Amino acid sequence: MNKLTLWFHTLGSPPYFHRLAGRLAPWLFAGAVLFAAAGLYGGLVVAPPDYQQSDAYRIIFVHVPSAWMSLFIYFVMAVNAFIALVWRIKLAEVLAMACAPIGAAFTVITLATGAIWGKPMWGTWWTWDARLTSELVLLFLYLGVIGLYQAIEDRRQAARAAAFLALIGIVNVPIVHFSVKWWNTLHQGSTVRLLGPSAIDASMLWPLLLVALATKLWFVASLLVRARVELLALEGGKEWARAEAQRAEGTP
Amino acid sequence: MTPTRKRRLIAVALILGAVGIATALTVFALQQNMTYLYTPSEILAGKVPEGARFRIGGMVKDQSIERGQSLTVAFVVTDGDGDMRVEYEGILPDLFREKQSVIATGSMQGDRFVATEVLAKHDENYVPRDVAEAMGKAHAKHVKPKE
């Protein structure tokens, strides 16, 4: 077995993951808060007002990173769901299920901030265009995964059923992303592009990227913490979980 | 890889592939049917069914906005090839202005479009105000001498 596969096997072991996640999470949370503070200060105070929307555009510093996360987290969830379905790795099941509430929260933030911006700028809170509708479907997929996971008694069977739904739902992710290209939508096209120049001035772009980095770190930290709790609940009867609980209580 | 895992991998891959193809076909079909808006030239070409409520989208033509009594307003929406006169009574969104994209919902009454809702479409460009002004000045400098 080569080193990389060996590392994956070690990482997949619940006690090892529990310890590693416990050590990493505080640092990731700290980084997230730091970058979010810097990014939001840059976005809300330092960045210049837009030539058409003046200060109202500043909601993109929350809206766009959240929208990216709503898609990114779904992708992470689907990858874990795939691993869980094929290899039946307990950790992958736990990680996939821990993704869903975080992704749902980011999707809600995206929809809410979009509506708040849409009312003054477009003139409406909501319209059934392709981008808005597919993002709403994304929220329902997240809620479906959470609901299905909670509805089945046996935790591992529940995780597998919900993982299946999560994996099927991945087809919606490219639809959300390309909806503004494929159809005539009220929602504007992508501003920040990976390939080619972005349609946003550099003075407005850097705070956006900082907040995006902060949301990524927050997601990973939140995921690790949630997965730790879920793992302890699943492995409650095992030796390492008891030892962990005893250490937390301070008894030998 | 054990035979069981291989079997599961193939099953999952097949299901995912089938769902993917089904979705791609649906998206492709919707692309032709699902129209969020019509452009003025499409309306002039008779693509919109008679008496239907629909959305018109395009640019507000330069110097075409006429403000009437209280909140009544009329303007021309253009897509470069065709023009359509739009009439509306109500509050317009912040971004509504000349040479800005709009989407209006309503229906045709004779040769004009009577809107019940006017939405402004924002483009994907974000530019600081002073940069926009500087660009405007530079642009004007290059254009003006010809006159």
Side-chain angles (χ1 to χ4, degrees):
Chain A
M1 210 185 288
N2 68 41
K3 259 196 184 140
L4 191 70
T5 355
L6 189 68
W7 180 73
F8 262 115
H9 274 268
T10 329
L11 189 67
S13 114
Y16 179 81
F17 176 85
H18 188 272
R19 244 175 296 133
L20 184 72
R23 240 177 293 150
L24 284 178
W27 293 101
L28 292 167
F29 272 124
V33 170
L34 202 73
F35 282 120
L40 288 178
Y41 178 76
L44 302 181
V45 182
V46 180
D50 183 61
Y51 75 123
Q52 282 201 324
Q53 312 174 47
S54 75
D55 283 328
Y57 89 97
R58 293 183 196 277
I59 205 158
I60 63 162
F61 295 114
V62 178
H63 177 76
V64 173
S66 305
W68 285 342
M69 289 316 287
S70 70
L71 294 177
F72 178 77
I73 294 173
Y74 201 96
F75 181 73
V76 173
M77 181 168 79
V79 168
N80 275 298
F82 180 76
I83 297 172
L85 284 174
V86 176
W87 285 274
R88 302 278 157 96
I89 297 174
K90 198 181 274 175
L91 183 64
E93 290 170 10
V94 166
L95 285 175
M97 291 306 111
C99 280
I102 314 171
F106 274 114
T107 313
V108 167
I109 294 173
T110 307
L111 291 169
T113 51
I116 293 166
W117 179 86
K119 183 62 187 169
M121 287 301 145
W122 291 340
T124 182
W125 298 102
W126 182 263
T127 179
W128 294 100
D129 88 340
R131 172 53 76 76
L132 276 63
T133 310
S134 56
E135 183 77 10
L136 187 66
V137 169
L138 189 73
L139 176 65
F140 290 154
L141 280 170
Y142 275 125
L143 295 181
V145 169
I146 297 170
L148 191 57
Y149 182 53
Q150 300 299 337
I152 300 172
E153 193 77 35
D154 184 88
R155 294 334 285 147
R156 297 209 62 186
Q157 261 179 18
R160 251 175 263 148
F164 195 70
L165 175 62
L167 190 62
I168 296 297
I170 190 75
V171 293
N172 189 40
V173 170
I175 296 180
V176 175
H177 183 77
F178 291 109
S179 55
V180 289
K181 265 196 188 155
W182 291 343
W183 294 289
N184 278 329
T185 53
L186 180 61
H187 195 286
Q188 61 264 32
S190 305
T191 292
V192 182
R193 302 184 191 104
L194 282 178
L195 309 166
S198 292
I200 182 168
D201 195 78
S203 61
M204 299 160 162
L205 182 61
W206 68 265
L208 189 66
L209 296 180
L210 277 183
V211 180
L213 183 62
T215 52
K216 289 263 186 315
L217 291 177
W218 184 272
F219 160 60
V220 178
S222 183
L223 180 68
L224 292 182
V225 172
R226 279 171 177 280
R228 279 186 92 204
V229 175
E230 189 70 29
L231 270 181
L232 271 187
L234 269 179
E235 305 251 285
K238 298 229 171 118
E239 191 56 47
W240 74 269
R242 269 209 295 279
E244 205 63 54
Q246 274 168 358
R247 211 176 50 192
E249 280 171 9
T251 48
Chain B
M1 202 181 266
T2 62
T4 334
R5 283 176 187 167
K6 199 167 211 169
R7 210 184 55 234
R8 279 193 219 130
L9 182 68
I10 292 169
V12 169
L14 278 180
I15 291 168
L16 204 58
V19 174
I21 291 168
T23 315
L25 288 174
T26 315
V27 165
F28 187 71
L30 282 178
Q31 232 166 338
Q32 293 168 342
N33 289 332
M34 201 180 79
T35 318
Y36 185 75
L37 54 84
Y38 289 95
T39 60
S41 49
E42 281 173 345
I43 299 166
L44 293 174
K47 283 194 181 165
V48 183
E50 198 97 11
R53 253 178 79 78
F54 63 97
R55 296 192 188 88
I56 178 174
M59 202 94 97
V60 179
K61 203 172 187 177
D62 201 11
Q63 295 176 346
S64 73
I65 302 177
E66 299 162 22
R67 291 190 191 273
Q69 295 261 303
S70 69
L71 288 173
T72 5
V73 63
F75 51 91
V76 174
V77 170
T78 177
D79 60 359
D81 293 331
D83 290 0
M84 178 59 63
R85 188 180 156 86
V86 176
E87 291 177 6
Y88 176 65
E89 188 174 356
I91 297 166
L92 292 163
D94 277 14
L95 280 179
F96 181 87
R97 59 198 71 170
E98 284 162 354
K99 292 194 269 183
Q100 177 79 35
S101 298
V102 288
I103 293 171
T105 314
S107 53
M108 297 299 295
Q109 290 190 5
D111 57 350
R112 67 217 159 80
F113 184 86
V114 177
T116 51
E117 185 186 43
V118 174
L119 303 179
K121 186 173 154 80
H122 182 252
D123 60 18
E124 65 269 32
N125 297 312
Y126 292 84
V127 183
R129 193 178 281 152
D130 42 344
V131 173
E133 278 167 14
M135 266 160 45
K137 271 181 208 151
H139 184 69
K141 224 191 298 180
H142 289 297
V143 174
K144 280 226 171 104
K146 280 184 186 166
E147 293 175 347

